[in-house]
Amino acid sequence: MSFNSFGRAFRFSTWGESHGPAIGAVVDGCPPGLALSEAGIQPWLDRRRPGTSRFTTQRQEPDRVRILSGTFEGRTTGTPISLMIDNVDARSKDYSEVSKAYRPGHADFAYEAKYGLRDWRGGGRASARETAARVAAGAVARLVIPEVTIRAYVVEIGGDAINRPAFDEAEIDANPFFCPDRAAAARWEALLDGARKSGSSLGAVVECRAEGVPPGWGAPVYAKLDAELAAAAMSVNAVKGVEIGDGFAAARLRGEENADPMRPGDGGRPEFLSNHAGGIAGGISTGQPILLRVAFKPTSSILTPVETVTAGGEAAEIVTTGRHDPCVGIRGAPVVEAMMALVLADQKLLHRAQCG
Amino acid sequence: MSFNSFGRAFRFSTWGESHGPAIGAVVDGCPPGLALSEAGIQPWLDRRRPGTSRFTTQRQEPDRVRILSGTFEGRTTGTPISLMIDNVDARSKDYSEVSKAYRPGHADFAYEAKYGLRDWRGGGRASARETAARVAAGAVARLVIPEVTIRAYVVEIGGDAINRPAFDEAEIDANPFFCPDRAAAARWEALLDGARKSGSSLGAVVECRAEGVPPGWGAPVYAKLDAELAAAAMSVNAVKGVEIGDGFAAARLRGEENADPMRPGDGGRPEFLSNHAGGIAGGISTGQPILLRVAFKPTSSILTPVETVTAGGEAAEIVTTGRHDPCVGIRGAPVVEAMMALVLADQKLLHRAQCG
Amino acid sequence: MSFNSFGRAFRFSTWGESHGPAIGAVVDGCPPGLALSEAGIQPWLDRRRPGTSRFTTQRQEPDRVRILSGTFEGRTTGTPISLMIDNVDARSKDYSEVSKAYRPGHADFAYEAKYGLRDWRGGGRASARETAARVAAGAVARLVIPEVTIRAYVVEIGGDAINRPAFDEAEIDANPFFCPDRAAAARWEALLDGARKSGSSLGAVVECRAEGVPPGWGAPVYAKLDAELAAAAMSVNAVKGVEIGDGFAAARLRGEENADPMRPGDGGRPEFLSNHAGGIAGGISTGQPILLRVAFKPTSSILTPVETVTAGGEAAEIVTTGRHDPCVGIRGAPVVEAMMALVLADQKLLHRAQCG
Amino acid sequence: MSFNSFGRAFRFSTWGESHGPAIGAVVDGCPPGLALSEAGIQPWLDRRRPGTSRFTTQRQEPDRVRILSGTFEGRTTGTPISLMIDNVDARSKDYSEVSKAYRPGHADFAYEAKYGLRDWRGGGRASARETAARVAAGAVARLVIPEVTIRAYVVEIGGDAINRPAFDEAEIDANPFFCPDRAAAARWEALLDGARKSGSSLGAVVECRAEGVPPGWGAPVYAKLDAELAAAAMSVNAVKGVEIGDGFAAARLRGEENADPMRPGDGGRPEFLSNHAGGIAGGISTGQPILLRVAFKPTSSILTPVETVTAGGEAAEIVTTGRHDPCVGIRGAPVVEAMMALVLADQKLLHRAQCG
């Protein structure tokens, strides 16, 4: 079944296809009285916007957001906030091949198996274009959690990881890869140019860090903060893996290595000596930074021919023309940031509901 | 906020604490007419049951399930199925230390930060004992998806992985580790004995494979099959990472390596030449086996003293006595299986709702 | 908390204020492959459209709906259907009085008490203009339940009821009141002209009948078909009462009078000798026509001065200028029809989910 | 589909059949730190308990509640509260007739049409015995809203209404009818004795008044406070009608009669001069008392023979032996009170989530 909504208290629904007239999000449950304007949302969309470097798709989308409801005199009213972004530069004819055969790695076959038909223009609803709506909704979510600072960045492309000691937050917005390591960014430029020129694509790992989350957000069993983050991240196009804190590496530690010891800290709150847990224990925030790591597979749209079948069941070869990101994980960084904001805003309100 | 329910069409709620009188699950939305008895649920619980080898906690729990509602003359009626398991062997006095100081790696501090109080007896609601209720609910879920075969097994303990070519499904139930590789099982025996004797603990990686899922289950955007599995897995105690198909390794592949090419197959359904995607594309099943991998951190309850603070804010050292699994990931295997069954049963019903 | 969504399997969310740029609905969970176009939705909106007679508000709204997503080549794709209706004839300056004092009978005070601010232009989100979005969503719902025929009509205005034996379905669309009794319609004309001229308003009772619902839709306890209809109807602006079947009159019958006896009928399905139950027993449809009756209070916007207070807490008198329906219940008929369709479409899919 | 849960923030699920081993409720989302014990729940159950007068069923059920989870040292912990009530006095053999033919007015036929089978023992899940679980859950809900006083009472039986000027709250618990008018209670005694002796049954109208609800609880569009109350009330067995404030009578008022004028009141909050609205405007509480009125049909179980059909499709006559309330509406009063408490607790938490 189609579920295009996310969240429990702070909720949003998105709609729209890659080549339809527009895409949008409806944000519901937002607290009233927050200062919200299109100018406040636009910068977040601009970070995700395509066409800003040669390392993203060349589709030219201004991604201008309009607020159609839910605000009055510049403030949220508590009623649903409808956000709309027009699609401007759709070129459906590039996709005529796609209408006939399934692109491996894409959702073409799965959609058709489910629904019996599919909008093949630019991937339809399965296009990562949908994530613009998440970023717009995420900009609203940020207003709900002013105490939290969220930063996502790319830590690995095509298997080439950053050098952790070289981490420099100021670098993140200084290169087209959201890369916190200047040397890695330089290497990735060559790496991606190579992949792009050979008609291939690369995967990436995005890390997201949220600071300022107080202890106590989350839930014990099925809406655990980490479970919600996992669902949020895995729902992003091309994501295949999610880690909290040390993630899979934690499975290789011994109990005494993995424990995050505590000492009496300032203001009565314990100070943690490490953060293997990524800021979450038993599904609830501990007050340490929340750490989320997300694996993006390489873009499935490639110029290299791949064996496939047609809707009629015949063997075929397919090459995906159209305009695509050579590494979809790069623009995934602002999307992961948005999902982090959306989950945290929701959890803040849920915590307030139960615990006052 | 507390959310102790999971699922959208096939739903279940669990309740109960480690040292309360009982734990249980209420399953709602189950199709009518399915043959269900306590005898049909018990074998699944027995696989998760503690005390069956020296590699699990020595707490002796028969884990006898009772069906209190929702069946009539041995068949489900479509009304809620209440499942109850008595707690028999709780020894709360072992936890008197825990009442005073927070155990690092445990949810003690986070719970208290959230709720202002906590049931410290055996970890209360945060105890992995809750997963027995999931396994019971999962046994009902299996009835809904007879076309699917689910198998979870441990592929790595303490960083020591199985040898993939030695994979033998028949081995899984032939050793106390749900290990499909006989040689690895032998090594793990020594590994775990060592950890146990030194008062330490080890992490593990569990893999789960579901065969027989037809193409078309799942949803495009926010209740994607992979997102639901990620939430389901991450909600299990001690889990810190989730992968679908190649997971993080996919981020190191090039587009043409990661694509799963298709050829015309039997019965008009395409045959895939690989399964990097783990059976899910665009959030929807492709008909290939679903592959889920889950990282369990080492058990946080260890005999090695760790620095901590008391509820009163004073420095302390804590040693977790009580009875614990030296590697909580082992008994995680039947729990991951149950969560897979619960997600798939839900998705089957949801697919039927929308697509008939 | 703001909840602007309705439904469980077939779901819709609405957004928009009376005097914002537009209003809309996002329909989620709709089955794929249904023929849907703007031309198919428009006639339903036209029935609810204002300004078509002197007995409704004189605000001129064309209520042109646009489909922004969820269809491809004229068919639903299973992805969210975004429907948008521009607001054309908003005159916010008529409401300057309203910005200062609370209109009794309106939500002005309650909104401000809840949110601390309110969009006073035309009632903002509390305006019955929101119901246009429901009617648009309802038009989609009708496609899901082609086996069902739904008809709503006004049975009473200002305490003047129709004569049941004179019921003529063909009359319903032949007068501006959706009145199935020609003589009553004639009386209501005078009644409403009187109320309008004296600056007053009248209440109404709307009845809705759904035929063709098979036995078995609904749920036993908390999402009972009648409970869902009650919530759906009570969520419509100005509604204060809901009845199923005989409703309050059933409380005055004896058990043997109220029972709906059964006889063997055609095709193995029992034939009922009466329908006091209104087609629902135990929350589940019986196969008889579903009967819903809904009470609308008189329009709260009146020209008669009423005592009130200002936002500053001072005594005031208020007269509601602006343009309003003298009897909001009339245009309530197509809205109740839409809500019936939306509930039944949802219940059909839910039944299919659980029972195949 | 089966939905046995209610609520959004403060949620509960019920389970159990009339003649199963037990019934129960699981309450989720309850704030932590509230003093809760079995002794605190029992008095509410005792008010609903059968067998306390000759005007209710003679089934002897002690209705002893046990708390199986969610409390620690006498306080709620924020985790799910499992409440269980054993069934003690089930006599399934009384229902052998019912296993063969459908009881008109009951859910027998509808259940079987939906599920293909039914638990006919005492009505199975459709029995009003389920409402004991609601009352237990409602007792927990009351702890969440100590500022609110809720009182339900019977205002009409068999068409014989109370005399409003004779309303005396102290009378409500002084007679077996929850009747606030001593003279009416005396008349009802005769009325009910007559109905009982003739093998018939009577309907009733229950009114419920909640005082102390502050302005601002509720939601604007689809989870309106009145819509939630309507769903809650209509979900109770035998209910066929729901009114808020003046209800259907409001449809007979003119706008100026129905308006609730305001004057400056104490503490800056407006004072209302009337309460036609029943304390709710635009789905949000106004600070006035919440007024809910609920119509119960006469008990469907009667000794008068009624025409029906068998499961095999043959004509039959049925008499419902077994033990039944001659007027199910009487014991409906404590159930309606519980539902009011459950809705208000939920809305209080939801309001806090969004508006702090």
Side-chain angles (χ1 to χ4, degrees):
Chain A
M1 168 138 26
S2 180
F3 272 100
N4 293 279
S5 301
F6 194 89
R8 298 165 192 266
F10 185 96
R11 282 150 286 129
F12 70 102
S13 306
T14 71
W15 55 267
E17 278 82 35
S18 180
H19 289 204
I23 60 172
V26 180
V27 176
D28 201 3
C30 185
L34 304 173
L36 177 68
S37 67
E38 285 143 0
I41 301 175
Q42 200 60 50
W44 303 107
L45 279 168
D46 289 347
R47 294 182 72 225
R48 196 215 72 103
R49 190 155 56 87
T52 54
S53 83
R54 70 180 184 276
F55 306 109
T56 66
T57 171
Q58 295 308 299
R59 180 169 170 176
Q60 295 296 328
E61 287 291 349
D63 277 355
R64 283 284 141 212
V65 68
R66 273 184 293 158
I67 300 173
L68 297 177
S69 69
T71 63
F72 183 61
E73 298 178 345
R75 301 207 162 261
T76 59
T77 58
T79 61
I81 301 164
S82 178
L83 305 168
M84 188 160 93
I85 300 166
D86 286 327
N87 287 331
V88 168
D89 184 26
R91 300 187 196 161
S92 301
K93 66 181 184 319
D94 293 354
Y95 290 84
S96 58
E97 281 296 296
V98 177
S99 70
K100 294 169 205 145
Y102 305 124
R103 291 167 302 168
H106 273 287
D108 298 353
F109 168 69
Y111 263 65
E112 197 146 325
K114 182 173 194 69
Y115 293 122
L117 82 173
R118 69 188 157 101
D119 178 350
W120 47 261
R121 301 164 306 163
R125 181 74 181 146
S127 166
R129 180 137 188 77
E130 185 269 344
T131 59
R134 304 180 187 224
V135 171
V140 181
R142 286 172 197 267
L143 302 177
V144 178
I145 45 168
E147 65 272 57
V148 178
T149 308
I150 303 171
R151 207 72 180 91
Y153 38 86
V154 180
V155 295
E156 185 181 315
I157 287 185
D160 181 11
I162 62 163
N163 177 28
R164 287 277 167 180
F167 191 104
D168 178 359
E169 191 168 326
E171 277 298 314
I172 296 172
D173 283 332
N175 61 68
F177 309 110
F178 302 110
C179 176
D181 167 0
R182 182 188 294 216
R187 296 195 307 270
W188 293 352
E189 207 166 315
L191 206 57
L192 271 162
D193 276 333
R196 194 165 47 85
K197 283 172 189 162
S198 65
S200 183
S201 64
L202 298 176
V205 176
V206 170
E207 192 169 274
C208 185
R209 184 181 173 93
E211 301 199 19
V213 176
W217 292 3
V221 182
Y222 296 108
K224 284 180 165 173
L225 180 49
D226 35 3
E228 300 286 270
L229 287 172
M234 197 65 96
S235 76
V236 176
N237 309 51
V239 171
K240 301 304 283 185
V242 180
E243 296 183 317
I244 300 292
D246 281 7
F248 278 82
R252 281 136 214 163
L253 296 177
R254 298 174 73 88
E256 62 277 17
E257 294 165 334
N258 183 64
D260 295 317
M262 288 176 260
R263 276 190 201 154
D266 294 336
R269 192 190 282 183
E271 180 194 341
F272 288 87
L273 306 186
S274 58
N275 189 15
H276 297 288
I280 304 173
I284 300 170
S285 61
T286 62
Q288 294 214 80
I290 309 291
L291 279 174
L292 169 69
R293 212 166 307 100
V294 183
F296 287 83
K297 69 178 183 183
T299 313
S300 296
S301 299
I302 48 174
L303 291 170
T304 313
V306 191
E307 226 177 319
T308 190
V309 296
T310 65
E314 280 161 33
E317 253 198 359
I318 196 160
V319 160
T320 311
T321 54
R323 296 156 299 169
H324 304 287
D325 290 87
C327 173
V328 76
I330 299 171
R331 293 204 290 139
V335 178
V336 170
E337 261 190 23
M339 296 310 290
M340 174 69 86
L342 288 157
V343 168
L344 291 177
D346 192 26
Q347 292 290 343
K348 178 180 179 176
L349 300 193
L350 289 170
H351 179 62
R352 191 158 75 182
Q354 189 178 16
C355 299
Chain B
M1 171 142 22
S2 178
F3 273 100
N4 293 279
S5 301
F6 193 89
R8 298 164 192 268
F10 185 96
R11 281 151 287 129
F12 70 101
S13 308
T14 71
W15 55 267
E17 279 81 36
S18 181
H19 290 204
I23 60 172
V26 180
V27 176
D28 201 2
C30 184
L34 304 173
L36 176 68
S37 66
E38 285 143 0
I41 300 174
Q42 200 60 51
W44 304 107
L45 279 168
D46 290 346
R47 294 183 72 226
R48 196 214 72 103
R49 189 154 57 86
T52 55
S53 84
R54 71 179 183 275
F55 306 108
T56 66
T57 170
Q58 295 309 298
R59 179 170 169 177
Q60 295 296 327
E61 286 293 346
D63 278 354
R64 284 283 143 211
V65 67
R66 274 184 294 157
I67 300 174
L68 297 177
S69 68
T71 63
F72 183 61
E73 299 179 343
R75 302 208 162 260
T76 59
T77 58
T79 62
I81 301 163
S82 177
L83 304 168
M84 189 159 94
I85 300 167
D86 286 327
N87 286 331
V88 167
D89 183 26
R91 298 188 198 160
S92 303
K93 64 181 184 320
D94 294 354
Y95 290 85
S96 58
E97 280 296 296
V98 176
S99 70
K100 294 170 205 145
Y102 305 125
R103 292 168 300 167
H106 274 287
D108 298 351
F109 169 69
Y111 263 64
E112 197 146 323
K114 183 173 194 69
Y115 294 123
L117 80 172
R118 69 191 157 99
D119 177 351
W120 49 261
R121 302 165 304 163
R125 181 73 181 147
S127 165
R129 179 135 189 80
E130 185 270 345
T131 59
R134 304 180 187 224
V135 170
V140 182
R142 287 171 198 266
L143 302 178
V144 178
I145 45 167
E147 64 272 59
V148 179
T149 308
I150 302 172
R151 208 71 181 89
Y153 38 86
V154 180
V155 295
E156 186 182 314
I157 287 186
D160 181 11
I162 62 162
N163 176 29
R164 286 278 167 179
F167 191 105
D168 177 0
E169 191 168 326
E171 278 296 316
I172 297 172
D173 284 333
N175 60 70
F177 310 110
F178 301 111
C179 175
D181 168 1
R182 182 189 295 216
R187 296 195 306 271
W188 294 352
E189 207 165 315
L191 207 56
L192 272 161
D193 275 334
R196 194 164 48 84
K197 283 170 188 162
S198 64
S200 182
S201 64
L202 298 176
V205 177
V206 169
E207 191 169 275
C208 185
R209 184 182 173 92
E211 300 199 21
V213 176
W217 292 3
V221 181
Y222 296 106
K224 285 180 164 173
L225 180 49
D226 34 4
E228 300 285 271
L229 287 171
M234 197 66 94
S235 76
V236 176
N237 308 50
V239 171
K240 300 304 284 186
V242 180
E243 296 183 317
I244 301 293
D246 281 7
F248 277 82
R252 282 135 212 164
L253 297 177
R254 299 174 71 88
E256 63 276 16
E257 293 165 333
N258 183 63
D260 295 318
M262 287 176 260
R263 275 188 202 156
D266 294 337
R269 192 188 283 182
E271 180 195 340
F272 288 88
L273 305 186
S274 58
N275 189 15
H276 298 287
I280 304 173
I284 300 169
S285 62
T286 62
Q288 294 213 80
I290 309 289
L291 279 174
L292 168 70
R293 212 165 307 100
V294 184
F296 286 82
K297 68 178 183 184
T299 313
S300 297
S301 299
I302 48 176
L303 291 171
T304 314
V306 191
E307 226 178 317
T308 190
V309 296
T310 65
E314 281 161 34
E317 254 199 0
I318 197 161
V319 160
T320 312
T321 53
R323 296 155 301 170
H324 304 286
D325 290 87
C327 173
V328 76
I330 299 170
R331 292 203 292 138
V335 178
V336 170
E337 261 190 23
M339 294 311 289
M340 175 69 87
L342 288 157
V343 168
L344 292 177
D346 192 27
Q347 292 291 342
K348 178 180 180 177
L349 300 193
L350 289 170
H351 179 63
R352 191 157 76 181
Q354 188 178 19
C355 298
Chain C
M1 170 141 24
S2 178
F3 273 100
N4 293 278
S5 301
F6 193 89
R8 297 165 193 267
F10 186 96
R11 281 151 287 130
F12 70 102
S13 307
T14 71
W15 55 267
E17 278 82 35
S18 181
H19 290 205
I23 59 172
V26 180
V27 176
D28 201 3
C30 184
L34 303 173
L36 176 67
S37 67
E38 285 143 1
I41 300 174
Q42 200 60 51
W44 303 107
L45 280 168
D46 290 346
R47 294 183 71 225
R48 195 214 73 103
R49 190 153 57 85
T52 54
S53 84
R54 71 179 184 275
F55 306 108
T56 66
T57 170
Q58 296 308 300
R59 179 170 170 176
Q60 296 295 328
E61 287 291 348
D63 278 355
R64 285 281 143 213
V65 68
R66 273 184 293 158
I67 300 174
L68 297 178
S69 69
T71 63
F72 183 62
E73 298 179 343
R75 302 206 160 260
T76 58
T77 58
T79 62
I81 301 165
S82 177
L83 305 168
M84 188 160 94
I85 300 166
D86 285 328
N87 286 331
V88 167
D89 184 25
R91 300 188 198 161
S92 302
K93 65 182 180 325
D94 293 354
Y95 290 85
S96 58
E97 280 296 296
V98 176
S99 69
K100 294 170 206 144
Y102 305 124
R103 293 167 300 169
H106 274 286
D108 298 352
F109 169 69
Y111 262 65
E112 197 146 323
K114 182 174 193 69
Y115 294 122
L117 81 173
R118 69 189 157 102
D119 178 351
W120 47 262
R121 302 164 304 162
R125 181 72 182 148
S127 166
R129 179 136 189 77
E130 185 269 345
T131 59
R134 302 180 188 225
V135 170
V140 182
R142 286 171 198 267
L143 302 177
V144 178
I145 44 168
E147 65 271 58
V148 178
T149 308
I150 303 172
R151 208 71 180 90
Y153 38 86
V154 180
V155 295
E156 185 181 314
I157 286 186
D160 181 10
I162 62 163
N163 177 26
R164 288 276 167 180
F167 191 104
D168 177 0
E169 190 167 327
E171 277 298 316
I172 296 172
D173 283 333
N175 60 69
F177 309 111
F178 302 111
C179 176
D181 168 0
R182 184 189 294 217
R187 296 195 306 271
W188 294 352
E189 206 165 315
L191 206 57
L192 270 162
D193 275 334
R196 194 164 48 84
K197 283 171 189 163
S198 66
S200 182
S201 64
L202 298 176
V205 177
V206 170
E207 191 169 276
C208 185
R209 185 182 172 93
E211 301 199 19
V213 176
W217 292 3
V221 183
Y222 296 106
K224 284 180 165 174
L225 180 48
D226 35 4
E228 300 285 271
L229 287 171
M234 197 65 95
S235 76
V236 176
N237 310 50
V239 170
K240 301 304 284 185
V242 180
E243 295 183 317
I244 301 292
D246 281 6
F248 277 82
R252 282 134 213 166
L253 297 177
R254 298 174 72 88
E256 62 276 16
E257 294 164 334
N258 182 63
D260 296 318
M262 288 176 259
R263 274 188 204 157
D266 294 337
R269 194 189 281 183
E271 180 194 339
F272 288 87
L273 305 186
S274 58
N275 189 15
H276 298 286
I280 304 174
I284 300 170
S285 61
T286 62
Q288 293 214 82
I290 309 290
L291 279 174
L292 169 69
R293 212 166 306 99
V294 183
F296 287 83
K297 68 178 183 184
T299 312
S300 296
S301 299
I302 48 175
L303 291 172
T304 313
V306 191
E307 225 178 318
T308 189
V309 296
T310 65
E314 281 162 33
E317 253 199 359
I318 197 161
V319 161
T320 311
T321 53
R323 297 155 299 170
H324 304 287
D325 290 87
C327 173
V328 75
I330 299 170
R331 293 204 289 139
V335 178
V336 169
E337 261 190 23
M339 295 310 289
M340 175 69 86
L342 288 157
V343 168
L344 291 177
D346 192 26
Q347 293 290 343
K348 178 181 180 176
L349 300 192
L350 289 170
H351 179 62
R352 190 157 77 182
Q354 190 179 18
C355 298
Chain D
M1 167 136 27
S2 178
F3 273 100
N4 293 280
S5 301
F6 194 88
R8 299 165 192 267
F10 185 97
R11 282 151 286 130
F12 69 102
S13 307
T14 71
W15 54 267
E17 278 81 36
S18 181
H19 290 204
I23 60 171
V26 181
V27 176
D28 201 3
C30 184
L34 303 174
L36 176 68
S37 67
E38 285 142 1
I41 300 174
Q42 200 61 50
W44 303 107
L45 280 168
D46 289 347
R47 294 183 71 227
R48 197 214 72 103
R49 192 152 56 85
T52 54
S53 84
R54 71 179 183 277
F55 306 107
T56 66
T57 171
Q58 296 308 300
R59 179 169 169 176
Q60 295 296 328
E61 286 292 348
D63 278 354
R64 284 282 143 214
V65 67
R66 273 185 293 158
I67 300 174
L68 297 178
S69 68
T71 62
F72 183 61
E73 298 178 344
R75 303 209 160 258
T76 59
T77 58
T79 62
I81 301 164
S82 178
L83 304 169
M84 190 159 94
I85 300 166
D86 286 327
N87 286 330
V88 168
D89 184 27
R91 300 189 196 159
S92 301
K93 65 182 183 322
D94 292 353
Y95 290 85
S96 59
E97 280 296 295
V98 176
S99 70
K100 294 170 204 143
Y102 306 125
R103 292 167 301 169
H106 274 287
D108 298 353
F109 169 68
Y111 263 65
E112 195 146 326
K114 182 172 193 71
Y115 294 122
L117 81 172
R118 68 189 158 101
D119 177 350
W120 48 261
R121 302 164 306 163
R125 181 72 181 149
S127 165
R129 180 137 187 76
E130 185 270 343
T131 59
R134 303 180 188 224
V135 171
V140 182
R142 287 171 198 265
L143 302 178
V144 179
I145 45 168
E147 64 273 57
V148 179
T149 308
I150 303 171
R151 208 71 180 90
Y153 38 86
V154 180
V155 294
E156 184 182 316
I157 286 186
D160 181 10
I162 62 163
N163 177 27
R164 287 277 167 180
F167 191 105
D168 177 359
E169 190 167 328
E171 278 297 315
I172 297 173
D173 284 332
N175 60 70
F177 309 111
F178 302 112
C179 176
D181 167 1
R182 184 188 293 217
R187 296 195 305 273
W188 295 351
E189 205 164 318
L191 206 57
L192 270 162
D193 275 334
R196 195 164 48 84
K197 283 170 188 162
S198 66
S200 182
S201 64
L202 297 176
V205 177
V206 170
E207 192 169 275
C208 184
R209 183 182 174 92
E211 301 199 20
V213 177
W217 292 4
V221 182
Y222 295 107
K224 285 181 165 172
L225 180 49
D226 34 5
E228 300 286 272
L229 286 172
M234 196 66 95
S235 76
V236 176
N237 308 52
V239 170
K240 301 303 284 185
V242 181
E243 295 183 317
I244 301 292
D246 282 6
F248 277 83
R252 281 134 214 165
L253 297 178
R254 299 174 71 89
E256 62 277 14
E257 294 164 334
N258 183 64
D260 295 318
M262 287 175 259
R263 274 189 204 154
D266 294 337
R269 195 189 280 184
E271 180 195 340
F272 289 86
L273 306 186
S274 58
N275 189 15
H276 298 286
I280 304 173
I284 300 169
S285 62
T286 62
Q288 293 214 82
I290 309 290
L291 280 174
L292 168 71
R293 212 166 306 100
V294 183
F296 286 82
K297 68 179 183 183
T299 312
S300 296
S301 299
I302 48 175
L303 291 171
T304 315
V306 191
E307 225 178 320
T308 189
V309 297
T310 66
E314 282 161 33
E317 253 198 359
I318 196 161
V319 160
T320 311
T321 53
R323 297 155 300 169
H324 304 286
D325 289 88
C327 173
V328 76
I330 299 170
R331 291 204 291 138
V335 178
V336 169
E337 261 190 25
M339 295 309 289
M340 174 69 86
L342 288 156
V343 167
L344 291 177
D346 192 25
Q347 293 290 343
K348 177 180 180 175
L349 300 193
L350 290 169
H351 179 63
R352 190 157 75 180
Q354 190 179 18
C355 298

